[in-house]
Structures are given as structure tokens and as C-alpha cells.
Amino acid sequence: MQILYNSTRGIRGLTASQAILKGLSEDGGLFVPETMPRLECSLRDLSAMPYQEVAYEVMKLFLTDFTEEELRGCIARAYDEKFDTPEIAPLHKTDDHTWFLELYHGATIAFKDMALSILPHLMTTAAAKNKLKEEIVILTATSGDTGKAALAGFADVPGTRIIVFYPKNGVSAIQERQMVTQKGKNTSVIGITGNFDDAQTGVKKMFNDREMEQKIREAGFCFSSANSINIGRLVPQIAYYVYAYTRLLADGTLKDGDKVNFVVPTGNFGNILAACYAKQIGVPVNRLICASNENKVLFDFFRSGTYDRKRPFILTSSPSMDILISSNLERLIYQICGQDPVKCTAFMEQLKGDGSYTITEGMKEGLSDFYGNFCSEEETQDTISRIWQESGYVIDTHTAVGAGVYKKYLEETNDTTPTVIASTASPFKFARTVAEAVLEEETDLSELSDLELTDLLSELTGLALPKAVEEIRTAPVLHDRVVDAEDMPDTVLDILGIN
Ligand SMILES: *Cc1c(COP(=O)(O)O)cnc(C)c1O
């Protein structure tokens, strides 16, 4: 069955490869599958397959204009020895009803690798399929994690270039080192004198600059985005929820038809939407537990039906979830308003204009699978300590928000359904907060650098340092360009050799 993609705001009938190339629809909407496919293999059969096979069985349902050979090729190039375990996404059990699904075994030790290691291959395959003549130039503004994962994914992928802008004084020392040591002839990393918003605004301006588009097209290039609203990032994420379920089936924890809960530390609502899609294609799911940090817009939305972004932006120890506009929620809104692009557009216009919208009582019923809650900074830190003390297992700050919310859920519901918590980053990536939480007594760590803290954490926990941390100690700095935000377009033209 051919699956076509419609925009949440009206445009209809694109193939999967066209939707991947476009990223965002021209009407401002996000692409969603017109009908939801169902798994063709039984979950029992999938339980005997390795990660790559499960990923193929899931992704082929959505990317129906890719041939078997193309899709298997993309999967083979993505989920290989860049991951430090052949399981790709292993499960770690901490008690009788709780498992952590470790999504951080890829090149940059955060869950963004799960999608960004395959997106470049999906994109270049899509480009060939649609006879795109230009070389794809990925432009990204980053506050840390996405930039490095995108760089690692696109490095040396033929037919692509990637240019990443980051705020020179606005990312952690480890994040900066990870980016400026990036190898690959087609990669460029530029610091800007400004904050993340300046970088983001600069990139958006270039995407909307028709004159610049014309100029680069004449030179044989076109811009594209590796942003999390791309359907090519969402689809690969569905695979690991199916994989997690089938591993619990394989080890006898679950019997056919038994349900699980998924807990997802959430920012842009992409990861949890993938869990929701996993349910719709046939995974037996009880509750989807949406965990927020102190930027708790989603918690308030699930409680009240009102999405309100008019509030202070709080900087937390889980920075990848510091988000007030969860872009991917638009896909859920579209679904629960009866796939009506007119209604969906109206809500999004209200969000843009007034800063808030309220869904109808009928739409609220469509949210019954979801449970939302949040963790304060203190609760996040306490959760890291508690899990370390109870189970000898170390989790990062984002995952801790998930685990802390799960505890609240258990206290409210006494629901002992087997539960899988998405573990979205390696604890080494956020070594300072994690080391503080793991150390029993108050210790002043302010004298130690972030890299020294990763050593300390390794000593405290007995966990080996991940390769990604090891590498950046000795890797030479390959990118040292810093420009003013207003010079971003000229810098891009210069990198592409256009004048
Ligand atoms: C991006 C990110 C998240 C949030 O995921 P969304 O798909 O944006 O909800 C959570 N944790 C980490 C470590 C991340 O990098």
C-alpha cells in the first residue's frame, strides 16, 4: 500500500521522499501520513530479528516509494559500528516493572543519533529518486546536541554539505569541543558572536531569502534542514519502540498482547510522537507518559487543554528539553481535530498571534493515551541520586526527568504495567550535574573542568568513558571561524565558493 503525506495545514499527496526533501511544507505545516499503516510481521516474529531488520520492517511501512534495496542500504550505513553495541538500543532493567531503553550508543552519545545517522542517507536517496540536480546544503543552528549529531551524520556523505552555526559563548565546553573537532571535507562549524536565537534567526532568514536561494541554485546548491520536524527523523524513531517491545517479548517478560507504558523525556514532542505512532501501527501500549522539566508547557496542556507559551523560558540542567514551542505537537493536534487542516491552522495561528490556544472537549478525548507531569530541578537531581543508590545505575539529567515523572505516575496510579523509559543521553554528556548527584556528601566541583568531571564520574561509577568523550581530548581543532550574526549569509557564500 502506497502511503502519501499531507501537510497539517492543507497541501496534500506528497510521496515520502518528497516530504523528506522538503522538511517543512510550504504552507508552514508538518507532513503526516495520510493513513496509518499496520505492522505486517507479527511482534513475535520481530522478536527474533536484530535491530536493523526491525527498523526495516517498520520504516518500509512509511517510506513506500523507497525500494527494499534502497531502504536496507540506508539502514546498513546508519546502524553500524558507529554504535558501540550491536544491540544499537539496549534495554537495562532496574526493577520488576522498569526498563531503561538506552538510545545513546551512537557517535555523539545522545538519542538524536538514532535519527540523524540515517537521515543523510534517506535524503540523498530521496534526492536521486526525485532527480534533484543540486548538491544539498544542510544549514543548522544549534544550542549544542543537534549540531554535533547532524555533523556526525552528514560528514563525508556524498552529495551533501553541512554548515553548523553555534553561539560562541552559549554551549558547554564539551559540546563545543565535540563540534570544532568534527572531521569530514563537507563539514563547516562556525561560532557566532551572539546567542542561540541570533543563530536560529540568521538561519531562518537564509531559508527565506529568495535572492540567496537563486544565487546558490545557479552555483549548483540547494538548502535543506535536518530539523526534528522532518518526517525522515520521525520514522526511524518509531523503530526503537517496536524493538523494545519485542525484546521484552523475546525474554518472556511479556506475553503476546501484553501492554507496556512508554515514558519519554520531552522537548519538541518528536520522540514521544514516535511512541504514539508505534502504538498506532500495532504495539500494545497502555500509557504514553510525557515528562517535562520546569518548562512545563506540555504538562499544563495535558491538564487543562490550553497550550500557553507566554511564560518565562527557564534554563535547566536538561537543556535539550528547554523548549516552549513543541513543534511536533502540531501533528497530534491535527490527528485529534479529525485531520482537519483548517482547524489545525487556526490553532497554530492563535499560538503565533496570541501565544496560546485551547482545544475542544471532544479533542481532549483524543489525548486519553497520554499522561503528563514534570520534574523540578531538585527532583531531577534527587532522581539521579535515588536510582544510583537503589540500583547502581547512572542516568543523565534528561532521563532523570523521565524517571522522576514515572515515580509520580506510579504514586498516583499504582499501575504496575511493565514500563520502558526512553534514556536520551549518556550521563557523561552532563557529567557535572550527574557527578554532583552521585557523590553522597556535598562536594565543591567548581574547580574541575568538564573533561576532568567525566574522569571523576568514570571513577565513581566504574563505567568506561565513551569513545565520543575519549576522542575529543586529543582530537585537533579543525574549525575556528567566528563571525558576527549579520555576516552569516556572506560566510555561507564564501564556504560554497560563491561571490
Ligand atoms: C532532543 C532531546 C530530547 C527531547 O526530544 P524531543 O523529541 O525534542 O521531545 C530529550 N533528551 C535529549 C538528551 C535530547 O537531546
Side-chain angles (χ1 to χ4, degrees), residues 141-408:
T142 186
S143 55
D145 281 347
T146 305
K148 176 62 188 182
L151 282 162
F154 280 91
D156 287 327
V157 172
T160 71
R161 306 266 191 119
I162 174 158
I163 305 174
V164 170
F165 292 95
Y166 73 96
K168 178 65 190 157
N169 297 313
V171 301
S172 80
I174 291 192
Q175 286 173 324
E176 179 170 32
R177 264 204 88 73
Q178 275 192 308
M179 289 192 280
V180 297
T181 56
Q182 178 64 48
K183 294 189 201 125
K185 283 199 195 63
N186 62 341
T187 64
S188 306
V189 179
I190 320 282
I192 65 149
T193 49
N195 60 25
F196 171 64
D197 276 337
D198 298 325
Q200 171 109 307
T201 308
V203 164
K204 280 195 183 149
K205 264 197 203 145
M206 284 189 271
F207 276 125
N208 293 323
D209 184 341
R210 295 294 154 241
E211 212 173 294
M212 186 165 185
E213 185 189 307
Q214 174 80 17
K215 217 179 208 177
I216 67 154
R217 198 170 289 277
E218 280 163 13
F221 299 102
C222 67
F223 287 143
S224 191
S225 150
N227 196 289
S228 86
I229 41 123
N230 195 312
I231 191 80
R233 274 185 66 177
L234 194 54
V235 169
Q237 294 181 195
I238 304 169
Y240 48 74
Y241 290 106
V242 178
Y243 180 74
Y245 186 92
T246 58
R247 293 318 100 166
L248 296 178
L249 208 50
D251 74 8
T253 302
L254 300 176
K255 293 187 199 54
D256 292 313
D258 281 354
K259 291 188 171 178
V260 293
N261 298 320
F262 287 123
V263 182
V264 187
T266 297
N268 227 348
F269 209 76
N271 203 5
I272 194 163
L273 189 70
C276 177
Y277 283 6
K279 174 173 183 168
Q280 292 175 27
I281 66 171
V283 176
V285 174
N286 177 41
R287 299 303 289 282
L288 297 163
I289 299 168
C290 176
S292 302
N293 64 23
E294 288 180 1
N295 295 292
K296 57 183 184 56
V297 207
L298 288 165
F299 164 73
D300 294 337
F301 170 69
F302 284 120
R303 286 289 141 112
S304 66
T306 297
Y307 192 97
D308 187 354
R309 70 169 166 87
K310 300 187 303 289
R311 59 181 79 205
F313 182 93
I314 302 169
L315 290 171
T316 72
S317 59
S318 45
S320 301
M321 294 157 60
D322 290 343
I323 286 177
L324 292 180
I325 301 180
S326 300
S327 321
N328 275 291
L329 186 67
E330 180 167 347
R331 290 188 162 108
L332 183 67
I333 297 295
Y334 177 76
Q335 182 179 309
I336 61 175
C337 75
Q339 304 197 323
D340 182 338
V342 176
K343 284 189 190 149
C344 186
T345 306
F347 287 122
M348 296 307 133
E349 288 296 322
Q350 275 178 43
L351 181 62
K352 200 168 152 201
D354 314 336
S356 73
Y357 61 82
T358 302
I359 60 171
T360 63
E361 286 305 315
M363 285 170 70
K364 271 192 200 167
E365 285 165 28
L367 298 179
S368 60
D369 286 343
F370 290 89
Y371 167 91
N373 214 324
F374 75 102
C375 274
S376 67
E377 284 294 275
E378 198 184 341
E379 288 167 332
T380 304
Q381 183 113 5
D382 288 349
T383 304
I384 300 173
S385 308
R386 173 175 61 82
I387 299 215
W388 166 246
Q389 277 155 23
E390 286 173 4
S391 328
Y393 185 59
V394 210
I395 57 175
D396 97 293
T397 48
H398 302 76
T399 310
V401 170
V405 163
Y406 177 50
K407 181 162 177 265
K408 293 185 183 183

